[in-house]
Amino acid sequence: MGDSAQAAHATLALMKIETRAVHAGRHIDPATGAVTPPIHLSTTFERAPDGGYPTGFSYSRDGNPNRLMLEKCLADLEGGKEALVFSSGLAVATAIIQGLEPGDHIIAPDDVYWALRQVIHGIFGKWGLDTTFVDMTDAEPVRAALRPNTRLIWLETPSNPLMKITDLSAIAALARQTKAITVCDGTFATPILQRPLDHGIDMVTHSTTKYISGHSDVVGGVLVTRYDNYLFERCRRSQNFGGSVPSPFDCWLTLRGVETLPYRMRAHSENALRIARCLQEHPAVEAVYYPGLPGHGGHEIAALQMSGFSGMLSFQVRGGREAAMAAAARCRLFIRATSLGGPHSFIEHRASIEGPKTRTPQNLLRVSIGLEHPDDLMADLNQALG
Ligand SMILES: *Cc1c(COP(=O)(O)O)cnc(C)c1O
């Protein structure tokens, strides 16, 4: 890096998030002058005469230039010390749970992302972990669930699919008096709208598959830590030796997505607020769950800890499961698919995705509001709801 590039990086830390989303972690390629980073496919890197690795890279499972750029950028956006990017959001969750000792106790939200329950019970059931699922819209049930062996408090805010809000500072304050590490799944908010580390949370994770990559074309995950801790180190080892690494191309695609993340989140949030307001007035709609609505139970806390309310909302349709399924089937612009955070709007009957044990209401539809014009989206919902 030249002197001028170094000076630019020194001042980057003082700049706004839109600027950091474009510049953090990147540098002009010294060999070619390329502005957009090359994709480094090489699996291995040459050693120096003294046997060392002068660039810091030795083998691509341990580290790769595209991965490092993405990690530096995401750590910067979160205000964290360091980041690890993984081959999926669930690979991060798996590495975290694997970092616990048999017999450790976990506290998680009662409406935690459904597949995390599969990781805890399905994969680690034989490890004898103890898990208490509590309502995290209030700190009191979390306090009541604490045990001397609680080592992990998992948060997810806004939550999936009811968009429940957890008070980040309140849970961080509780955890500080214990040996538990707090990890927040911030997938729905992204570091653009919410920075859990600023509220004292220890680590943040995202499925970068969603808003961060932002184009429904790459699966990935990230873990960002505020400070060095044993669980983060175990995740690093689990990745290096367990092998759940993202490909250089996946990292490159994700980093490209990050460049427009601040502007996309603004548009997703604006569109979703308009649609939430319209749905609230719709006679075929029983209830709307969107933290941007003043009537939402978590609105006040969300307004304090988020700078926008994101593009995710869900609503209950009058007439039960059949009416909800029929409305989803009548959509023409909304695509009937799972996942979220891309430019296309998606609509999904959550309960049937989550299976027979789901706690999600049967007449609930979850939508990921995309980047289409909100008038066109609302016209589609109006015709689908009849
Ligand atoms: C999608 C999702 C995950 C899992 O991420 P993958 O990239 O699909 O493995 C975890 N948490 C939330 C909130 C998600 O939406």
Side-chain angles (χ1 to χ4, degrees), residues 81-82 84 86 95 99 181 203 223 225 227-241:
K81 177 169 189 287
E82 202 181 343
L84 296 170
F86 282 72
I181 287 184
M203 303 204 279
L223 178 67
T225 188
Y227 60 95
D228 292 328
N229 67 71
Y230 82 98
L231 208 46
F232 187 82
E233 282 315 310
R234 288 181 182 188
C235 287
R236 190 199 312 275
R237 275 177 49 111
S238 154
Q239 176 172 58
N240 282 354
F241 300 110

Side-chain angles (χ1 to χ4, degrees), residues 87-91 113 156 160 185 187-188 206-210 219-221 339-340 366:
S87 51
S88 73
L90 277 183
Y113 176 70
E156 186 184 327
N160 186 11
D185 181 340
T187 299
F188 281 19
H206 299 276
S207 165
T208 57
T209 313
K210 316 296 170 52
V219 172
S339 199
L340 60 119
R366 188 188 81 175

Side-chain angles (χ1 to χ4, degrees), residues 274-298:
R274 268 186 66 180
I275 287 163
R277 285 185 178 141
C278 291
L279 283 174
Q280 221 177 5
E281 303 301 320
H282 200 289
V285 173
E286 211 169 79
V288 180
Y289 302 94
Y290 185 65
L293 293 175
H296 185 278

Side-chain angles (χ1 to χ4, degrees), residues 158 163 165 269 272-274 276-277 280 288-300 302-303 306 308-310 312-313:
M163 316 301 149
I165 301 295
S269 300
L273 183 59
R274 268 186 66 180
R277 285 185 178 141
Q280 221 177 5
V288 180
Y289 302 94
Y290 185 65
L293 293 175
H296 185 278
H299 176 69
E300 280 172 23
M306 300 177 77
F309 302 103
S310 189
M312 295 303 298
L313 63 94

Side-chain angles (χ1 to χ4, degrees), residues 84 86 88-101 104 106 116 119-120 124 127 129 151-155 181-185 202-206 222-224 229-236 238-239 244:
L84 296 170
F86 282 72
S88 73
L90 277 183
V92 179
T94 300
I96 294 170
I97 307 294
Q98 196 175 37
L100 298 174
E101 294 295 317
D104 281 355
I106 306 170
L116 192 79
V119 172
I120 293 173
F124 292 100
W127 281 40
L129 293 166
R151 291 292 176 273
L152 175 65
I153 303 178
W154 188 275
L155 301 81
I181 287 184
T182 46
V183 178
C184 178
D185 181 340
D202 300 317
M203 303 204 279
V204 185
T205 176
H206 299 276
V222 64
L223 178 67
V224 186
N229 67 71
Y230 82 98
L231 208 46
F232 187 82
E233 282 315 310
R234 288 181 182 188
C235 287
R236 190 199 312 275
S238 154
Q239 176 172 58
S244 50

